[in-house]
Amino acid sequence: MPIDEWMRFIQIGELPKTVNYTTIVLPKINNFSAGLSGATFDSKRNSIFFTSSVEVTNDPVRDGEILGSFVGEIKLSEPSRFEWISRLQDDSSNFMVTKLESICIPAEKNHSTVCYFVVLPTTTMAPLNYSH
């Protein structure tokens, strides 16, 4: 992609003409939209696993009160829809009021994908096993 197209995107938000993209609408909590907070590529599933969080703010840079987070998967074969998306819950199925900042997949073993999440405000890494 030409650098001048990227610069126009960074400076004024004009989308590059040489890039194919799909718009996906993230969920809301209390009428505040989720924002993408992290993503990682899973080559085995040809998917993007992502995290998104909802904060009480209208500014994408300034933090606000945390309302909750989501984790989901988008198959690259069907990028216009979620394969699945779920609001973060505790062991008792109560919605958690925490912020997932990022996600990574360090390894895959025995048909299981292990995802690690960076969780705020504690900034700890929390593992989640996802079997497929």
Side-chain angles (χ1 to χ4, degrees):
M1 165 180 312
I3 190 72
D4 60 327
E5 288 188 31
W6 275 117
M7 292 307 295
R8 275 195 302 277
F9 175 67
I10 292 168
Q11 293 171 347
I12 62 173
E14 180 182 317
L15 291 170
K17 294 171 181 43
T18 58
V19 173
N20 293 327
Y21 61 90
T22 300
T23 301
I24 295 177
V25 178
L26 294 170
K28 294 182 178 187
I29 300 174
N30 297 343
N31 219 24
F32 288 94
S33 295
L36 187 67
S37 57
T40 191
F41 177 65
D42 182 348
S43 60
K44 189 170 187 175
R45 293 177 58 83
N46 196 32
S47 293
I48 295 174
F49 285 88
F50 67 92
T51 56
S52 63
S53 297
V54 180
E55 297 181 54
V56 179
T57 182
N58 291 321
D59 186 323
V61 177
R62 293 191 178 147
D63 291 337
E65 175 190 354
I66 298 167
L67 297 180
S69 293
F70 297 87
V71 63
E73 177 185 9
I74 299 171
K75 292 260 190 207
L76 294 182
S77 59
E78 293 185 64
S80 62
R81 69 174 190 88
F82 299 115
E83 179 70 13
W84 58 270
I85 186 168
S86 180
R87 188 166 171 188
L88 197 61
Q89 299 178 3
D90 63 19
D91 292 337
S92 300
S93 297
N94 297 313
F95 292 129
M96 295 177 68
V97 180
T98 191
K99 184 176 182 180
L100 291 178
E101 273 293 337
S102 193
I103 182 173
C104 72
I105 301 173
E108 297 179 29
K109 297 177 184 175
N110 301 327
H111 301 288
S112 253
T113 299
V114 177
C115 299
Y116 286 92
F117 299 95
V118 177
V119 181
L120 288 183
T122 60
T123 63
T124 58
M125 296 287 280
L128 169 78
N129 288 304
Y130 173 70
S131 298
H132 56 275

